[in-house]
Amino acid sequence: MKFQKSPGTQDILPGVVERWQFVESKARDICSRFNFREIRTPLFESTELFQRGVGETTDIVEKEMYTFVDRGERSLTLRPEGTAGVVRSYVENKLFGDPDVSKLYYIGPMFRYERAQAGRYRQFHQFGVEAIGSVDPALDAEVIALGYSFYTEVGLKGVRVEINSVGTPAVRAAFRERLLAFLEPKREILCKDCQSRMDRNPLRVLDCKTDQAHFEGAPSILDSLDEECTAHFDKVKQCLSDMGIPFEINHRLVRGLDYYTHTAFEYKAEGIGAIDTVGGGGRYNGLVSDIGGPEQPGVGLGLGLERTILLLEHQKTELPNLHGIDVYIVALGEAADREATKLVYELRRQGIRAERDYQGRKMKAQLKSADRLGARFTAILGDDELARGEIALKDMAQGEQRIVAISALAGELK
Ligand code: ATP
Ligand code: MG
């Protein structure tokens, strides 16, 4: 019997996992500078939370959720995105009692039943932030800036920011009529999903992946914005300009999730086949109350880590070498071998990355191993050296070797 991973899942092996660690540490570092704090919520939640929180007419809820009934007859769903769970936790733990804005971030796996391809998986990872408790457009701009900083600081080039305003529910109701007037004559040539969404949630039609060509000349929601929405959008644009964040306006950007109000944005980049969106987010002023909490406005983003890493590879971005060891202890002979066990443990305790041989190999094979591991030093322990309490320390880059007392090795390496 041979087992294989399920379609759409990936093993992240040593050699690649360092890229992940680098990207994740950047995300954490940026969040700490922007004063966002980590929140960890469960990988599964009640199905109803996502139906409500993500929206019945979204791709996610209509066809992508991993839903199952547990032994207690509850309908549960593996989280397809991060916002619903964070907002559920915010409400359940009464974080709204905090006088400051709740600025939260998460990094972790999400699950969607999709057709797997490069950049699209069934288990994938998102880095996301949520800022709940303020309607200030400066917060929308801050979240957009945070994502932009993330892409810039991991070293990606050519990431573009697109923004739009999807208004309030009242604005959307008015826009709906104008949009339907445009879509109705095209009904027959649109895909089945679009046809059904025209009746239930026409705005969502603009998010269709296959029919974009038919939407040329569609009315702009920006022309339907009321005074309040326009003022909010203007302020977001102003804040972005003040920070020097480049952006473009895309009036057809509506995002896949139902809960957005006012600002919607996406990060775009070329290089992953047909996929051009690497992340996105928006403001969600109705979401907290929709899932049973108080009226608290929020804004957030979700960035795909697989797509970030694919782009880093595509752009051949040099990453810092996170792996490697400081010293490889080459031990020759039984007594030396015994000393090596003690010595690597002592070095490791002192904060030095140390390795040794475990296969009784000859000197040459051990040195090759040190080379493969990228050891900065090798320390050769033969029976003679051992008898004198000494070890031969070799700097691999410089090639020079000197004899040091075993007891002084840790100090020398530091
Ligand atoms: P797409 O239009 O590509 O399906 P989406 O609108 O469904 O994306 P969001 O729900 O906004 O995506 O998720 C934010 C980010 O998460 C995406 O921009 C992408 O980087 C990543 N993402 C979403 N779905 C997947 C997936 N199945 N595999 C890998 N990454 C994904
Ligand atoms: Mg999708």
Side-chain angles (χ1 to χ4, degrees):
M1 182 77 187
K2 268 202 184 140
F3 292 105
Q4 291 184 324
K5 58 189 180 308
S6 299
T9 64
Q10 289 183 294
D11 296 316
I12 304 173
L13 303 178
V16 174
V17 81
E18 288 79 13
R19 290 173 183 273
W20 284 81
Q21 291 167 343
F22 166 71
V23 164
E24 288 164 1
S25 73
K26 270 287 170 214
R28 290 179 194 286
D29 176 40
I30 287 167
C31 281
S32 107
R33 279 181 273 144
F34 279 69
N35 189 35
F36 280 75
R37 298 174 72 183
E38 186 175 6
I39 181 168
R40 301 189 186 192
T41 63
L43 293 194
F44 57 84
E45 302 262 3
S46 79
T47 302
E48 213 188 323
L49 172 70
F50 300 114
Q51 287 166 337
R52 283 225 187 185
V54 180
E56 298 278 6
T57 58
T58 56
D59 276 348
I60 291 179
V61 172
E62 279 185 341
K63 50 193 181 195
E64 296 174 356
M65 293 205 300
Y66 274 94
T67 297
F68 60 98
V69 176
D70 78 358
R71 287 166 197 273
E73 304 290 311
R74 297 173 200 88
S75 178
L76 300 172
T77 294
L78 297 184
R79 66 180 187 192
E81 54 91 59
T83 306
V86 170
V87 171
R88 193 266 315 136
S89 174
Y90 170 88
V91 173
E92 186 171 341
N93 295 291
K94 300 191 173 60
L95 301 188
F96 46 81
D98 188 332
D100 294 315
V101 173
S102 294
K103 294 171 71 177
L104 306 164
Y105 82 88
Y106 56 84
I107 299 174
M110 306 294 161
F111 305 86
R112 298 185 193 177
Y113 193 78
E114 301 211 60
R115 248 179 21 150
Q117 51 178 282
R120 196 175 294 288
Y121 310 94
R122 292 183 175 172
Q123 174 172 338
F124 62 99
H125 298 75
Q126 280 186 346
F127 158 44
V129 312
E130 315 294 347
I132 313 174
S134 164
V135 291
D136 190 342
L139 200 54
D140 307 38
E142 176 171 308
V143 168
I144 295 170
L146 186 155
Y148 186 75
S149 300
F150 169 74
Y151 290 120
T152 311
E153 292 191 26
V154 296
L156 283 184
K157 302 203 175 59
V159 175
R160 294 181 298 108
V161 179
E162 287 188 0
I163 63 169
N164 190 26
S165 172
V166 296
T168 55
V171 163
R172 284 204 291 276
F175 177 64
R176 187 176 188 271
E177 300 310 314
R178 291 178 55 217
L179 182 61
L180 277 175
F182 169 83
L183 291 174
E184 210 51 74
K186 301 180 190 287
R187 183 182 278 271
E188 294 313 313
I189 52 170
L190 298 180
C191 73
K192 284 274 165 298
D193 280 345
C194 282
Q195 292 181 7
S196 120
R197 282 171 187 175
M198 273 176 69
D199 303 321
R200 295 179 300 150
N201 188 348
L203 197 66
R204 180 90 319 118
V205 173
L206 295 176
D207 197 37
C208 178
K209 298 232 167 37
T210 51
D211 286 348
Q212 282 302 321
H214 301 308
F215 304 147
E216 217 54 58
S220 165
I221 191 166
L222 295 174
D223 298 330
S224 294
L225 295 186
D226 59 20
E227 227 172 282
E228 181 215 335
C229 292
T230 306
H232 188 97
F233 194 44
D234 286 345
K235 188 78 193 296
V236 173
K237 288 184 280 184
Q238 185 195 65
C239 292
L240 289 173
S241 300
D242 289 348
M243 288 188 280
I245 311 269
F247 62 90
E248 294 149 50
I249 292 164
N250 172 1
H251 72 82
R252 282 190 342 227
L253 193 166
V254 293
R255 305 273 309 134
L257 311 176
D258 269 352
Y259 47 60
Y260 289 115
T261 52
H262 295 287
T263 320
F265 58 91
E266 281 187 347
Y267 302 93
K268 304 248 166 131
E270 322 279 291
I272 323 175
I275 292 173
D276 67 349
T277 305
V278 290
R283 178 166 277 285
Y284 45 82
N285 288 353
L287 180 61
V288 181
S289 58
D290 274 1
I291 68 161
E295 289 287 338
Q296 286 283 1
V299 54
L301 60 68
L303 313 182
L305 295 186
E306 281 78 2
R307 291 184 193 180
T308 304
I309 284 162
L310 279 170
L311 278 177
L312 285 171
E313 283 163 6
H314 178 77
Q315 297 185 359
K316 303 203 178 352
T317 313
E318 285 283 336
L319 299 181
N321 182 10
L322 296 177
H323 184 66
I325 61 166
D326 300 314
V327 62
Y328 191 98
I329 307 293
V330 175
L332 304 165
E334 214 171 294
D337 198 65
R338 189 170 160 198
E339 177 64 26
T341 303
K342 209 170 74 184
L343 192 53
V344 283
Y345 179 62
E346 180 56 25
L347 292 172
R348 289 165 178 169
R349 278 204 317 122
Q350 299 212 35
I352 292 163
R353 299 176 300 175
E355 186 53 297
R356 52 160 296 194
D357 171 73
Y358 306 97
Q359 294 163 89
R361 292 180 296 188
K362 301 225 158 53
M363 168 119 142
K364 206 167 148 198
Q366 293 193 35
L367 287 171
K368 272 193 188 154
S369 182
D371 220 37
R372 279 195 298 275
L373 291 170
R376 293 174 50 214
F377 294 91
T378 49
I380 303 169
L381 198 58
D383 282 339
D384 295 349
E385 285 98 347
L386 185 58
R388 293 192 302 270
E390 288 173 347
I391 192 163
L393 181 64
K394 184 171 178 185
D395 183 324
M396 298 300 273
Q398 256 119 65
E400 70 191 32
Q401 181 169 315
R402 62 213 157 86
I403 305 294
V404 300
I406 292 176
S407 57
L409 183 61
E412 285 290 324
L413 287 167
K414 281 188 193 160

